[in-house]
Amino acid sequence: MKNNIKELRKARGLRQEDMAKLLGVSRQTIVAMENDKYDPTLELAIKTARLLERPVEKIFFLDEES
């Protein structure tokens, strides 16, 4: 699954550390999500969408090549 978390996070002026703290996860989790190395749970995806004030489907995209 692909996402645009990094761009949205930066647009809101959040550091990875800030976002991690607000979501209750480690900074490494944010790094992994931004680098498409980790697909979040549904709960984390919804929390991320709420934090970034975007619908889930505007943040996460299916990788059509898979």
Side-chain angles (χ1 to χ4, degrees):
M1 185 175 314
K2 302 289 184 186
N3 68 71
N4 59 1
I5 293 172
K6 186 174 186 176
E7 295 82 13
L8 294 170
R9 174 181 58 77
K10 286 185 172 188
R12 293 189 54 84
L14 292 170
R15 299 175 306 152
Q16 289 172 332
E17 294 87 356
D18 302 328
M19 187 169 175
K21 186 174 183 180
L22 290 167
L23 293 174
V25 298
S26 69
R27 185 178 85 62
Q28 290 84 356
T29 299
I30 302 302
V31 170
M33 285 194 318
E34 288 183 353
N35 291 319
D36 300 323
K37 303 290 185 194
Y38 174 73
D39 291 337
T41 62
L42 180 57
E43 179 181 356
L44 182 54
I46 291 171
K47 286 181 178 180
T48 301
R50 287 180 180 166
L51 177 65
L52 298 174
E53 298 179 338
R54 296 283 190 280
V56 172
E57 61 271 16
K58 297 291 184 183
I59 298 174
F60 299 96
F61 312 91
L62 290 176
D63 184 3
E64 298 299 331
E65 295 178 14
S66 295

